[in-house]
Amino acid sequence: MFVTSAPALELEHVSRHFDGRAVLSDISLAIAPGKITCLLGQSGCGKSTLLRIISGVDRPEPGGRIRVAGTELVGPGRFVEPEDRRIGFMFQDYALFPHLSVAENLAFGLRHLPKAAQRARVAEVVERIGLAHLLDRYPHSLSGGEQQRVALARALAPQPAILLMDEPFSNLDQGLRERVRRETVDILRRTATTAIIVTHDPQEALSMGDMIVLMRAGRIEQVGNPFEIYDRPCSAYAAEFMGPCNRLTGIWSKGRIETPIGTFPADLDLPDGALALACIRPQALSIGPDGQGISARVMAKTFTGESEQIDIMVHPLAQTLRMHSHVRIPMGIGEKVSLQLNGAQIHVFPETPEVNGHPAADS
């Protein structure tokens, strides 16, 4: 892994069309070396296509540029082939060679090196990732988690400048997925690997990424670290994608949105009387005994173990509000309660036709 003051990866005006349809539209992005970046978005938003373009498996439209550590790989009259880019790719299904042992799989990408150098590099990767006990095994005899670790080790063995990972945990069941994800992040950080990980799971992106690139319909919706993306979403789409929200339409007046459950300030440039939208996180709501806040009624309760999900009705809203509580709520279904709010978890945006309709999944 080499050190450089330039970004590990730079994309400028990268676009891609299939059959006249824009799959990627004018993507520009800079990724710092040694960091984990998550490309996040719905299925079909373009994130896997972007990964293929970075790797060299696919080409962007003319005019797009790609640089790695300051060296141009794609630009006017220039296209560096995938095998010459020093970019590793870890596939969703791991793509281990079934007829090769773990040791032979690890050495596969090192065939250009002398045998002694191959053995030394394999030994180094094995020690770092802890695979010594698996070297003589074959892929069919490995668990899902073991296959994932071998695939990661094989991708790291050639010492790529950047490692691309396409939904690397999607084939694992929930309990194993969390453990393997933690192990993978630990390995990437210990090896100071610049990694770009595609995922559709916001919780996965928040737990792994130093930077999150939220994509929507072939464009970048927002870029930021996990706290920025979650705490300061740039749009209602970003707010709702990163976690559940209650949506309330209100009237903008004197720097605040007025809603049936309260008024909330926001930094928006809207004329008084315009419609605005408040996205309220479930954890922003709490309830207490009737008479100590906004009058409401409990309509449903769902116990999930760590928390309780409670649906409450507030007049004159047509829909219930959902809240999450880590404290046991003694009030039963049908009982009157008082709603209280924590304004820190309320995000306000201009109300537009695009925001007002819930966007369908990008195709």
Side-chain angles (χ1 to χ4, degrees):
M1 199 65 61
F2 53 87
V3 178
T4 174
S5 58
L9 175 70
E10 295 172 276
L11 307 176
E12 291 184 3
H13 308 299
V14 170
S15 298
R16 186 70 171 96
H17 290 74
F18 290 122
D19 299 324
R21 181 175 64 91
V23 178
L24 293 174
S25 300
D26 198 26
I27 301 291
S28 294
L29 184 66
I31 291 175
K35 302 296 184 182
I36 298 173
T37 298
C38 290
L39 295 182
L40 174 65
Q42 295 175 326
S43 296
C45 72
K47 54 191 188 295
S48 292
T49 298
L50 184 58
L51 217 62
R52 291 195 296 271
I53 285 175
I54 294 169
S55 71
V57 174
D58 196 4
R59 294 176 182 244
E61 308 292 335
R65 294 178 182 269
I66 301 175
R67 286 186 289 272
V68 170
T71 300
E72 188 163 271
L73 304 183
V74 177
R78 181 167 177 77
F79 181 85
V80 175
E81 295 297 329
E83 60 270 21
D84 298 321
R85 293 192 177 195
R86 289 194 61 207
I87 294 178
F89 204 122
M90 182 174 161
F91 296 94
Q92 184 174 357
D93 61 358
Y94 311 141
L96 297 175
F97 298 109
H99 62 289
L100 300 181
S101 68
V102 168
E104 291 167 335
N105 266 281
L106 296 183
F108 186 83
L110 306 173
R111 290 168 298 169
H112 62 288
L113 298 177
K115 290 292 185 182
Q118 288 183 32
R119 289 192 294 271
R121 179 59 187 156
V122 168
E124 180 184 346
V125 172
V126 165
E127 181 180 359
R128 285 193 171 190
I129 300 183
L131 296 175
H133 61 297
L134 300 177
L135 287 179
D136 295 329
R137 302 262 298 274
Y138 283 80
H140 72 272
S141 69
L142 304 178
S143 68
E146 289 169 339
Q147 289 184 28
Q148 200 273 352
R149 291 173 67 198
V150 172
L152 176 61
R154 186 179 66 177
L156 291 175
Q159 297 178 293
I162 299 171
L163 176 60
L164 309 179
M165 306 172 74
D166 192 0
E167 299 274 9
F169 313 109
S170 61
N171 290 333
L172 304 175
D173 60 38
Q174 185 60 37
L176 182 59
R177 183 184 306 148
E178 294 178 5
R179 178 174 65 79
V180 172
R181 185 170 63 213
R182 289 194 301 268
E183 292 176 352
T184 300
V185 169
D186 179 62
I187 290 167
L188 294 175
R189 297 207 188 285
R190 283 193 283 110
T191 56
T193 300
T194 303
I196 302 174
I197 303 176
V198 160
T199 179
H200 64 275
D201 184 344
Q203 298 305 312
E204 193 165 86
L206 290 170
S207 68
M208 291 191 302
D210 297 301
M211 181 170 77
I212 296 174
V213 181
L214 176 60
M215 296 184 64
R216 180 189 187 192
R219 298 181 181 274
I220 293 176
E221 182 79 7
Q222 186 172 357
V223 178
N225 66 44
F227 296 103
E228 291 168 339
I229 292 281
Y230 188 83
D231 293 337
R232 295 188 294 279
C234 69
S235 64
Y237 179 84
E240 292 186 295
F241 194 91
M242 299 312 298
C245 288
N246 297 291
R247 298 164 63 96
L248 285 180
T249 298
I251 304 298
W252 186 255
S253 177
K254 299 181 173 60
R256 303 170 71 88
I257 181 175
E258 299 177 350
T259 78
I261 63 170
T263 61
F264 313 106
D267 186 16
L268 294 180
D269 184 16
L270 290 176
D272 285 356
L275 291 179
L277 178 70
C279 291
I280 304 175
R281 299 279 185 207
Q283 60 267 33
L285 305 177
S286 60
I287 58 176
D290 188 26
Q292 298 181 12
I294 301 168
S295 181
R297 189 181 298 274
V298 176
M299 304 303 293
K301 298 175 70 174
T302 304
F303 182 54
T304 62
E306 291 184 358
S307 65
E308 199 167 21
Q309 181 176 286
I310 303 166
D311 292 342
I312 53 179
M313 179 62 75
V314 178
H315 181 77
L317 298 180
Q319 293 183 324
T320 58
L321 300 176
R322 177 157 293 176
M323 63 164 284
H324 296 161
S325 176
H326 291 280
V327 178
R328 300 291 181 263
I329 301 297
M331 299 79 168
I333 295 174
E335 288 191 43
K336 287 187 176 181
V337 294
S338 288
L339 174 67
Q340 299 164 347
L341 292 98
N342 163 22
Q345 292 291 326
I346 297 174
H347 309 294
V348 182
F349 307 100
E351 177 75 286
T352 67
E354 182 181 31
V355 169
N356 191 40
H358 292 266
D362 302 323
S363 60

